[in-house]
Amino acid sequence: MEYSHEDGELVNQPIGYWTWAANKTLMAYARGRLAAIGITQPQWWVLHQALHSENGVTREEVISAHRANLDVGAGLAPDLDLLVERKLLVSEADGRLRITDEGRALHQRAAETQQASRRQVHTDISDEEYLITLKVLQRMMRNAGGDVSPD
């Protein structure tokens, strides 16, 4: 594999730049793959949450659950409306959103797309390398005063 710099130079590169560049690249890749099947990443998150909620979810529950999720939060309202409009979710009289059969089918297709995307992105990267990368990033975040505790 060719890298951007020799090791001696790469070790002095700013982590902030590389994490930003990685995030930008990987988000565009994942979102592009989902867009190709007619769904946005936030819509995928909503369908996933509705699918795994036995009694459906309220708009407030969805927005609250994703408030810190990559700065989406209240911006999910138009996605919720569109999912209902597309009949992927149905809004019941009790105000809860439930996934429809069409929503389940698209969710399944999106899940398969996400799994294929993960396989592509992880090509030639062992689970051990991936785990080390995440642990190093979390240590750096903690060193910078960040919170890496699970939600």
Side-chain angles (χ1 to χ4, degrees):
M1 158 104 199
E2 262 188 60
Y3 294 97
S4 62
H5 299 78
E6 295 296 325
D7 288 358
E9 293 176 86
L10 195 55
V11 75
N12 291 311
Q13 292 287 306
I15 190 66
Y17 169 77
W18 289 107
T19 55
W20 168 82
N23 179 62
K24 186 176 174 183
T25 301
L26 296 171
M27 292 300 288
Y29 179 79
R31 288 178 175 180
R33 302 271 306 200
L34 288 171
I37 64 165
I39 190 169
T40 68
Q41 190 177 44
Q43 290 168 358
W44 150 251
W45 295 334
V46 171
L47 288 181
H48 191 76
Q49 188 175 356
L51 178 72
H52 294 288
S53 177
E54 188 174 317
N55 298 312
V57 292
T58 66
R59 294 172 68 85
E60 295 75 27
E61 288 169 341
V62 170
I63 290 169
S64 176
H66 294 285
R67 190 161 313 281
N69 197 353
L70 299 176
D71 301 322
V72 174
L76 281 175
D79 288 299
L80 291 167
D81 294 338
L82 187 57
L83 291 170
V84 171
E85 183 181 311
R86 291 178 62 191
K87 300 184 181 353
L88 301 171
L89 290 178
V90 62
S91 183
E92 299 287 346
D94 63 2
R96 300 192 75 75
L97 299 167
R98 290 180 176 78
I99 195 166
T100 64
D101 289 340
E102 294 84 3
R104 287 178 199 283
L106 183 55
H107 177 274
Q108 179 61 38
R109 191 164 174 213
E112 291 165 0
T113 298
Q114 292 289 69
Q115 291 163 358
S117 295
R118 186 180 195 283
R119 281 191 303 274
Q120 176 60 38
V121 168
H122 283 246
T123 299
D124 298 326
I125 298 169
S126 70
D127 286 347
E128 180 182 43
E129 289 173 302
Y130 183 67
L131 182 60
I132 289 168
T133 300
L134 294 183
K135 287 183 173 183
V136 167
L137 286 173
Q138 287 187 12
R139 285 197 320 257
M140 294 176 108
M141 291 167 63
R142 190 172 293 117
N143 291 345
D147 180 13
V148 298
S149 59
D151 291 335

